[in-house]
Amino acid sequence: MSEPWRCKHCGDVIGVYEPITMIEDHEARETSRAAQSDLPPHGEYYHRACYGRRADSDSGSAPAG
């Protein structure tokens, strides 16, 4: 197996069975590496939760807390 995939938002490893959000043709869709073993290794991939956080930080809203 090649090097681990990392989330474009947080930088943490994305597990094989973990649900991910991927950007393909400027559209977001959900899948996992286990469900689609033919995904290219250097795509734009996010943890499901991180993709939502990414949208929040892109809008310029301040973090809660």
Side-chain angles (χ1 to χ4, degrees), residues 8-33:
K8 294 288 184 185
H9 179 75
C10 73
D12 285 345
V13 172
I14 297 175
V16 173
Y17 295 99
E18 228 177 320
I20 61 172
T21 299
M22 67 176 287
I23 307 300
E24 183 176 57
D25 298 326
H26 306 287
E27 296 285 326
R29 70 179 181 91
E30 289 195 13
T31 188
S32 74
R33 293 174 63 189

Side-chain angles (χ1 to χ4, degrees), residues 32-55:
S32 74
R33 293 174 63 189
Q36 285 191 264
S37 60
D38 61 341
L39 292 173
H42 299 292
E44 189 172 347
Y45 303 115
Y46 300 87
H47 294 108
R48 183 189 292 166
C50 286
Y51 185 75
R53 288 187 209 120
R54 173 193 142 303

